[in-house]
Structures are given as structure tokens and as C-alpha cells.
Amino acid sequence: MEWSYWKVIMRYGHVGLRKEVSVARHLIKPADFTLLDVITDAQHMPGVKAKGILSARRITQEAYIIGSREEAENFYLQKLKTFSRMTS
């Protein structure tokens, strides 16, 4: 199966009244996904604010690998993923 790689900048909420955290997420999707498909999927991820997609663009596989490693070190995402597992 062919894949496409995306960098999506999202606004996350739940960090205080009228506050947000913008985080770059690196996503892997099937090759036939369009920009609109990626934005729709990203909008429904846990913690993303309404109208929370700031930008989305297709990237290379190498950029995806580097970005995924940086995501693993992001403190906010670590806490978000831990909280999601605790509430499930």
C-alpha cells in the first residue's frame, strides 16, 4: 500500500480559559487522501479546538520520520496521550 505523509499544525485547547497550544503533528495516510481528507481527520483528533487546523501540507517520508521523533519529545503531546489512555 502506498502512503502519503503530512505535517499539520493544530491548535489544542484545555490549557486555560481562552488559551491554546499550537503543535505540529506528523501524520501518515493512504496515498489517495487529499488535503481535505487530512484536515477532516485531524479536526476530529482528541483535544483539537474547533477550527483548530492552522495549516496542513504534504511532506517527504524523511521529514515525517524526523517530525515523528520530535513529536515523541513534546511534553504537551505526552500528557495528552497519557490522559486519553486514562479516560478510555
Side-chain angles (χ1 to χ4, degrees):
M1 179 176 223
E2 298 276 327
W3 298 103
S4 60
Y5 304 92
W6 298 86
K7 180 178 182 178
V8 182
I9 311 275
M10 301 180 208
R11 296 181 329 166
Y12 283 88
H14 308 294
V15 291
L17 186 62
R18 299 192 199 294
K19 294 184 182 176
E20 63 188 39
V21 174
S22 295
V23 178
R25 298 295 309 265
H26 297 80
L27 308 175
I28 183 170
K29 298 292 179 186
D32 62 341
F33 264 48
T34 64
L35 177 62
L36 186 57
D37 295 328
V38 172
I39 289 172
T40 301
D41 274 5
Q43 186 65 48
H44 297 292
M45 292 175 73
V48 176
K49 294 186 104 168
K51 300 179 185 174
I53 307 303
L54 298 177
S55 72
R57 64 183 175 96
R58 191 182 296 256
I59 58 173
T60 64
Q61 183 178 11
E62 293 79 23
Y64 168 79
I65 292 168
I66 292 167
S68 294
R69 289 180 184 151
E70 291 172 357
E71 265 185 59
E73 298 171 5
N74 185 304
F75 180 72
Y76 180 77
L77 290 176
Q78 290 173 2
K79 291 296 181 186
L80 179 68
K81 290 175 184 176
T82 302
F83 181 76
S84 295
R85 276 190 241 126
M86 289 172 40
T87 58
S88 298

